[in-house]
Amino acid sequence: MDTIASLFSFITTPVSWVIVQFHTVYGAIFGPDTGWAWGLSIVSLVILIRICLIPLFVKQIKATRAMQTLQPEMKKIQERYKNDKQRQSEEMMKLYKESGTNPLSSCLPILAQSPFFFALYHVLNGIASGQTIGVINASLLESARKAHIFGAPLAAKFKDSASTIEALGASVTDVRVVTVVMIVMMSASQFYTQRQLMTKNVDTTVKTPFMQQQKMLMYVFPIMFAVFGINFPVGVLIYWLTTNVWTMGQQMYVIHNNPTPGSKAQAAYLERLTKHVTQHGKIRRRSEKTIVKAIVAKGRDRNESERKFINGLTKAGLAAQADGTVVKSESQALAQAEDGTTTATATATAVRRQQPKRQSKAQRQSGPTKQADEGPSLEKATDEPQDDVKPAAAKQPQKPGSGTRSKAQSGQRKGGPQRPKSPSKK
């Protein structure tokens, strides 16, 4: 670890300078030799680094989403070239190039943090050995050696000997209890972060080896933190615990507001969005408009949650538009027209869409003659009851046996072959 940390000694001076600046601020509040002043300086260093890494985090999210989208194609390539690993690798690289996806983009935040992590380790190791490093001079070195976090010096490690810990003014029990608690918290936060990603923000409709790898990492990473944690100074454990908590909170925000399509988080998000839109009749934020716009653009390729969202809007009399906005649907406008709450244009539209009542068989057979003379009239059909519309022949008084019954009443057809009469029963 010391050898690796020495490789990043070029960034030791900037890291130590940032810590000293924060220590100046917190030292004026809590005292320069307190663990709070030095501990909060390390926490502030983490927050500053993570804020600077937000663009990389956004890129990581996009890369992860793109990788999940490519999973079906990757699975086809693996099945097609399962006996030719070289060809399989070539096809994979071709797929990445065509889609503009880089698998390493999902690791960018971790890779970008590594220099700061090892530089901080180098600084704290110098404090433990009593050596000035970076901008930390002799007076700051003495103040840092006196700083304790819950009885454990910042530069102490779990595996340090009793004499080394006593030289820092602490006991072996205090150091090991504090380091064990921090290692457990660090591993637990890492496990929860990965588990949250796997159970809530993964497309459950896609089953690929990539999913199995992510599931395996959910258990591997916490074990790695636990193993390497016993070699970290208390100050480094503070750094890594803080960055894990930051990652967990940042991921919870992303899952809540911008979930992966097809995941459980998306189903919960769209359910919340449906309730809000049906209550207020509009979209609140730009991010919501972006999500609705993407759902509308999918068309028939929508997943079950997205179809449920569109159907929920339709039932509420709303319709999602291509620009991500929501407006009242045409059926809602017609319903308002029937209540007399709309303009004359909406009323005319409702009248045009009103269908005439269904006619009886006798009316359909005898009606064409009258309709040919007078022409169809939708207004009369809508203003007058259908019962008043009768064939002209039916209005003339008929005498029994006069033979003036129409062919429709006698059961005969107007043209073409006549239906044979059924034989009478004897």
Side-chain angles (χ1 to χ4, degrees):
M1 184 65 71
D2 295 338
T3 303
I4 298 175
S6 62
L7 296 175
F8 295 93
S9 58
F10 65 92
I11 202 174
T12 299
T13 300
V15 169
S16 61
W17 183 85
V18 172
I19 292 177
V20 168
Q21 301 308 310
F22 282 121
H23 174 263
T24 303
V25 176
Y26 294 121
I29 301 173
F30 302 102
D33 300 335
T34 60
W36 285 104
W38 286 99
L40 289 176
S41 299
I42 296 173
V43 172
S44 300
L45 172 67
V46 175
I47 295 174
L48 178 63
I49 293 173
R50 295 308 299 265
I51 290 175
C52 295
L53 293 179
I54 286 179
L56 290 180
F57 179 74
V58 173
K59 193 172 183 179
Q60 177 193 22
I61 294 175
K62 293 181 178 180
T64 304
R65 299 279 175 84
M67 288 294 294
Q68 291 175 348
T69 304
L70 293 177
Q71 290 309 304
E73 298 297 329
M74 294 171 62
K75 189 175 182 179
K76 291 179 182 179
I77 293 175
Q78 290 173 348
E79 293 176 353
R80 184 179 304 172
Y81 304 105
K82 59 183 178 181
N83 297 325
D84 190 350
K85 298 297 182 183
Q86 183 178 357
R87 183 65 183 278
Q88 186 182 117
S89 301
E90 292 175 356
E91 292 296 327
M92 288 287 190
M93 296 303 296
K94 184 179 178 181
L95 179 63
Y96 294 149
K97 187 176 181 180
E98 291 176 352
S99 61
T101 304
N102 187 357
L104 296 179
S105 298
S106 59
C107 303
L108 284 177
I110 296 177
L111 295 176
Q113 283 187 86
S114 299
F116 300 97
F117 171 77
F118 288 112
L120 178 62
Y121 179 88
H122 195 49
V123 170
L124 294 174
N125 194 47
I127 294 174
S129 58
Q131 298 176 357
T132 57
I133 185 169
V135 298
I136 297 179
N137 53 30
S139 60
L140 290 172
L141 177 64
E142 186 64 24
S143 175
R145 289 174 65 87
K146 293 179 182 179
H148 291 66
I149 300 293
F150 301 110
L154 291 175
K157 307 174 187 176
F158 179 85
K159 295 177 67 175
D160 283 345
S161 62
S163 58
T164 302
I165 295 175
E166 288 176 1
L168 295 173
S171 65
V172 176
T173 303
D174 292 339
V175 170
R176 291 187 176 176
V177 169
V178 171
T179 52
V180 166
V181 171
M182 286 189 174
I183 289 172
V184 170
M185 293 176 64
M186 185 173 62
S187 300
S189 61
Q190 178 65 35
F191 175 79
Y192 180 79
T193 300
Q194 190 69 18
R195 185 177 183 275
Q196 181 180 230
L197 177 66
M198 292 300 301
T199 57
K200 294 183 178 181
N201 205 38
V202 171
D203 188 355
T204 56
T205 61
V206 180
K207 304 294 183 183
T208 60
F210 177 77
M211 302 286 294
Q212 299 298 326
Q213 294 174 3
Q214 293 294 316
K215 191 174 182 179
M216 182 180 65
L217 292 177
M218 181 171 65
Y219 298 97
V220 171
F221 274 146
I223 295 175
M224 290 176 59
F225 278 112
V227 172
F228 291 113
I230 60 177
N231 296 311
F232 293 162
V234 173
V236 174
L237 293 178
I238 294 174
Y239 175 95
W240 208 250
L241 177 60
T242 306
T243 193
N244 280 0
V245 173
W246 177 281
T247 302
M248 182 174 62
Q250 192 171 241
Q251 186 170 272
M252 289 176 65
Y253 176 82
V254 171
I255 291 175
H256 188 270
N257 294 282
N258 191 17
T260 300
S263 63
K264 294 181 180 179
Q266 190 199 33
Y269 175 84
L270 292 179
E271 185 177 353
R272 295 193 304 269
L273 185 59
T274 303
K275 291 181 180 179
H276 171 79
V277 174
T278 52
Q279 290 177 358
H280 300 85
K282 61 181 180 179
I283 300 294
R284 292 177 297 179
R285 297 190 293 265
R286 183 182 300 176
S287 60
E288 294 175 346
K289 290 184 179 180
T290 303
I291 293 175
V292 174
K293 182 179 179 181
I295 293 175
V296 173
K298 285 185 178 181
R300 295 182 178 181
D301 296 331
R302 301 184 188 110
N303 56 47
E304 183 178 354
S305 301
E306 292 167 346
R307 287 193 295 268
K308 187 177 179 181
F309 170 71
I310 296 296
N311 293 336
L313 293 182
T314 303
K315 291 179 180 179
L318 302 171
Q321 303 300 303
D323 60 352
T325 59
V326 173
V327 298
K328 289 184 179 180
S329 64
E330 192 172 343
S331 60
Q332 180 72 10
L334 293 177
Q336 291 182 353
E338 292 177 359
D339 295 337
T341 57
T342 57
T343 60
T345 304
T347 305
T349 303
V351 171
R352 285 197 303 269
R353 287 183 173 271
Q354 187 174 358
Q355 299 296 330
K357 293 183 179 180
R358 186 174 181 179
Q359 296 179 341
S360 64
K361 184 177 179 180
Q363 290 172 338
R364 289 197 302 271
Q365 291 177 344
S366 60
T369 304
K370 182 178 180 179
Q371 290 181 357
D373 297 335
E374 299 179 2
S377 177
L378 180 61
E379 296 180 358
K380 291 184 178 181
T382 56
D383 295 337
E384 296 179 5
Q386 291 292 326
D387 296 335
D388 295 335
V389 181
K390 296 181 180 180
K395 295 182 179 180
Q396 300 296 330
Q398 301 295 334
K399 295 182 180 180
S402 62
T404 59
R405 289 185 302 170
S406 65
K407 293 182 179 180
Q409 292 176 341
S410 62
Q412 299 299 321
R413 299 182 180 180
K414 291 185 178 181
Q418 302 297 321
R419 260 185 295 187
K421 299 181 179 180
S422 59
S424 59
K425 295 182 181 181
K426 295 182 179 180

